[in-house]
Amino acid sequence: MRRRWFGAAGAVVAAGAVVAGVVGIGTASAQPQLPPVSPEDLVASVMTAQPGPFNGTVGIDNELGLPALPGAPQLGNGEQSARVWSGGDGKGRVALPSGDGEKTLVSDGTTRWAYDATDRTATRSTGGAPEQKDPQTDPAGASAQIIGELRKTSQVAVDGTAEVAGRSAYTLVLTPQPTERTVLREVRVAVDAEKRIPLQLTVLTTGSATPALQIGFDDVTFGPQDPSLFTFTPPPGTTVKDAPARPQGAPDRQGPPAGTTSVGDGWDRVVVFQRPAPQQGQQAPQGAPDLSALGTPVTGPFGSGRAITTAVGTAIVTDDGRVAVGAVPEPVVAEALGTR
Amino acid sequence: MTATTGTSAATGRAPERTHAPLGRVVGAEIRWVLRRPRTLVVLGLLALIPVAVAIGIAVAGRGGRGLIAQVAGNGFVLPVVALGLALTLLLPLAVASAAADAVAGEAGSGTLRGLLVAPVGRARFVVMKAAGVITVAVLAVAIIAVVGMIAGTLVVGGPGSLITLSGTTLGFGEALGRIALVAVWTIGQLLAVGAVALAISTFTEHPLVVLACVLGGLIVFGVLGAIPSLDWLQPLLLTSGFTAGTDVLRDPLPLDGLASSSLRALVYVVLGVGVTFWRMARRDG
């Protein structure tokens, strides 16, 4: 009888191994053999890359340690994935699935739609293509300039090759110079060897073996895409809103608030700015989280405030409304505030 | 009582006793399962799930978040949502109770002994009992899907098409295809539960033990899956794939989640059926 039980236990163990083998992920990736390339050539080829249409799945592994904000729970630690389709020419589609809904972003080159399935609203915005690349007349010179700037504070190298999403890639590594007082240890960018688009970004911090942030393709397929993916018709029952129009000529992103100063340069740059004061009798604008309850109280030559420490940097919000942020440990931020 | 002793059972069985045609045996089992009042009551109650959701949506109207809110004005989502709701506990309960009755119930009432000495091979016996469980799983899913479609069309109403979570609109035919896909996928998940339940059922003569093990196991799996530091367990837990049914509401259809959860269910089926065969080949009554 005992022998049979052993047999059964063996069968269960074998089946378990099959489960682990079939379902498990984690496949060791060999390092592909690729011709050597210099960092300048790699960056130049990325700037001129014309990858053409592709689709894929992007995984985001976030261990940044950002505080959980009520307005933006997706910024908290965790893994997320997004499905992306690109038709080239500014056309694209991104699907961000969640357990009970999905956010869809569609751009047909001129009109951009953002559809949220949970409340069935579609937001339309028109205007120029969202990601207009600067016309690069001299990519080789520009990349040499960029690398030169980076070399002042970093070691730039092409650190071998890697396999990302089943594709061979060069790994471009930025390492801060030893004099830089940053919490970042290394930034790695995997660049597709053939199509020369970035496939993966990895941010490593001091004192941690696991990346603080990793964004990259889990799988990617280059080839023509179904053109109907890049058009969007709001389904019946949808609330359609128009995004507030941007004034002509204004930059895409909101510029830094007036009075912003930066202390230091390179990796240990600390940005100090005045927190926009909430207007009397008015709610804080949506999306501006209440920072007063976050972090731990700190005091120093700058006065007193609260320090918010994450894996990739530190922010100090002083009680008199100044904010200092940098990818540095807390004493460096405090020092930057003190020099003001 | 049996013709074989413990040692000869391991080496082989008398082949001349396996003469009953498989079709007739399976047919008899299915008839027996379907004539049991408890099966009919369970199937009838399962049919109420989509109706209850439809009435709730019709009364409450739009608003609220979550997947159920997607049903409003979009009736074809109802079968998908109802299957997703029922898959968490009620459908496994129905399948587990069928599996519990299949072997443990017969053992408890003393009729298993008669079946085992009948001229039916042990392998055929397992196939016959599995057919009864599969029948319950297929019928339960089909009833929820069909009632869901009818209730979704009549009570909730809709454009005769399916609005996906991605904001696209699928025509009638494609919507039917998506509902059929989620139904087949749900049956696959239920077969995993049923196979494990059948395996447990062969070790006991108390049907309640089977129900307790299956439901307790599902709850434990759910708890384990919710603990962040145990996320390495996720690929092993059957329940971690249960949410993949929602993927049929996305466009273009992502197959990764459906495929991996079906593969996981297949492994559970193989495990459960294997243990059931192993145990029944040796069971004496």
Side-chain angles (χ1 to χ4, degrees):
Chain A
M1 200 62 198
R2 167 164 291 189
R3 189 171 296 163
R4 280 186 211 142
W5 279 107
F6 277 132
V12 169
V13 169
V18 169
V19 178
V22 162
V23 185
I25 326 127
T27 46
S29 56
Q31 295 208 332
Q33 295 292 322
L34 295 170
V37 66
S38 72
E40 286 83 357
D41 289 347
L42 191 60
V43 171
S45 64
V46 168
M47 287 197 293
T48 53
Q50 298 281 347
F54 64 90
N55 71 327
T57 313
V58 175
I60 303 160
D61 189 0
N62 178 351
E63 300 291 332
L64 294 175
L66 296 178
L69 301 174
Q74 64 269 27
L75 289 179
N77 279 7
E79 289 177 35
Q80 273 194 310
S81 76
R83 299 195 291 150
V84 296
W85 294 264
S86 168
D89 323 324
K91 294 179 182 174
R93 185 186 190 97
V94 179
L96 298 162
S98 60
D100 56 358
E102 186 166 298
K103 279 194 175 67
T104 307
L105 310 169
V106 181
S107 167
D108 66 0
T110 51
T111 311
R112 276 164 281 144
W113 288 92
Y115 178 73
D116 188 351
T118 48
D119 52 5
R120 288 199 216 168
T121 52
T123 311
R124 174 176 48 201
S125 52
T126 50
E131 287 173 33
Q132 196 79 52
K133 278 188 184 173
D134 293 323
Q136 286 295 341
T137 48
D138 180 18
S143 68
Q145 194 184 349
I146 291 172
I147 299 281
E149 282 295 316
L150 285 173
R151 284 233 160 97
K152 289 178 186 165
T153 54
S154 327
Q155 292 160 6
V156 186
V158 177
D159 180 26
T161 60
E163 195 174 298
V164 176
R167 294 186 66 86
S168 305
Y170 291 105
T171 313
L172 185 70
V173 182
L174 293 177
T175 314
Q177 298 281 10
T179 54
E180 302 285 316
R181 298 173 297 173
T182 175
V183 294
L184 300 180
R185 175 156 58 91
E186 212 170 74
V187 175
R188 304 178 76 90
V189 183
V191 177
D192 190 286
E194 180 200 346
K195 299 285 184 178
R196 296 297 166 105
I197 63 166
L199 292 178
Q200 191 176 57
L201 170 76
T202 310
V203 179
L204 293 151
T205 57
T206 49
S208 172
T210 53
L213 177 70
Q214 187 161 49
I215 302 174
F217 282 101
D218 291 331
D219 58 78
V220 60
T221 313
F222 293 91
Q225 302 297 315
D226 182 359
S228 67
L229 285 170
F230 308 116
T231 59
F232 185 82
T233 314
T238 306
T239 317
V240 177
K241 289 186 293 193
D242 273 306
R246 289 200 190 91
Q248 279 291 322
D252 246 13
R253 288 177 173 275
Q254 212 177 348
T260 300
T261 56
S262 68
V263 180
D265 65 346
W267 295 80
D268 51 13
R269 176 199 298 265
V270 177
V271 177
V272 185
F273 60 93
Q274 192 73 27
R275 193 168 151 201
Q279 285 166 351
Q280 284 294 324
Q282 221 180 7
Q283 287 279 322
Q286 230 178 0
D290 182 20
L291 296 175
S292 57
L294 297 171
T296 50
V298 283
T299 53
F302 56 86
S304 63
R306 305 187 76 84
I308 302 159
T309 310
T310 71
V312 290
T314 309
I316 291 182
V317 183
T318 64
D319 292 343
D320 58 356
R322 283 181 295 153
V323 182
V325 185
V328 290
E330 191 191 310
V332 184
V333 181
E335 189 184 299
L337 274 171
T339 60
R340 188 166 187 241
Chain B
M1 188 64 196
T2 53
T4 55
T5 65
T7 47
S8 68
T11 52
R13 300 200 41 77
E16 67 269 18
R17 276 173 51 183
T18 59
H19 283 323
L22 189 62
R24 208 173 74 201
V25 173
V26 167
E29 171 75 11
I30 291 175
R31 271 198 301 281
W32 179 70
V33 166
L34 291 184
R35 279 182 190 155
R36 258 190 316 210
R38 75 193 87 164
T39 311
L40 301 176
V41 168
V42 164
L43 292 179
L45 288 176
L46 286 176
L48 289 181
I49 297 174
V51 176
V53 175
I55 292 174
I57 289 288
V59 171
R62 276 187 65 169
R65 297 176 81 86
L67 208 54
I68 290 186
Q70 293 294 322
V71 180
N74 196 3
F76 278 1
V77 175
L78 181 57
V80 180
V81 169
L83 281 174
L85 283 176
L87 182 58
T88 50
L89 221 49
L90 289 173
L91 279 173
L93 177 67
V95 173
S97 66
D101 279 335
V103 184
E106 297 237 31
S109 60
T111 48
L112 183 65
R113 192 164 289 237
L115 271 176
L116 292 183
V117 298
V120 174
R122 292 296 170 87
R124 286 179 177 226
F125 173 82
V126 174
V127 170
M128 166 186 114
K129 286 302 181 187
V133 177
I134 294 170
T135 307
V136 170
V138 171
L139 280 181
V141 170
I143 280 177
I144 292 182
V146 171
V147 173
M149 283 184 57
I150 296 171
T153 312
L154 294 183
V155 183
V156 181
S161 52
L162 176 74
I163 301 169
T164 63
L165 291 177
S166 312
T168 54
T169 307
L170 302 180
F172 183 75
E174 204 173 343
L176 277 188
R178 295 291 181 101
I179 293 168
L181 176 65
V182 75
V184 169
W185 172 84
T186 309
I187 291 171
Q189 302 295 310
L190 287 180
L191 292 188
V193 176
V196 173
L198 204 57
I200 299 169
S201 188
T202 59
F203 283 94
T204 175
E205 52 191 37
H206 304 291
L208 264 182
V209 171
V210 181
L211 283 185
C213 286
V214 170
L215 294 189
L218 284 176
I219 292 168
V220 168
F221 273 23
V223 170
L224 291 178
I227 300 176
S229 56
L230 293 180
D231 57 356
W232 52 270
L233 264 178
Q234 294 276 10
L236 301 180
L237 301 178
L238 181 67
T239 48
S240 60
F242 277 6
T243 52
T246 314
D247 283 354
V248 301
L249 296 178
R250 308 187 196 279
D251 191 45
L253 180 64
L255 286 172
D256 312 7
L258 293 169
S260 68
S261 54
S262 296
L263 207 60
R264 189 178 303 141
L266 183 67
V267 175
Y268 274 88
V269 168
V270 170
L271 264 180
V273 170
V275 172
T276 306
F277 270 114
W278 175 81
R279 172 73 182 146
M280 284 317 294
R282 286 154 181 80
R283 187 157 172 164
D284 287 338

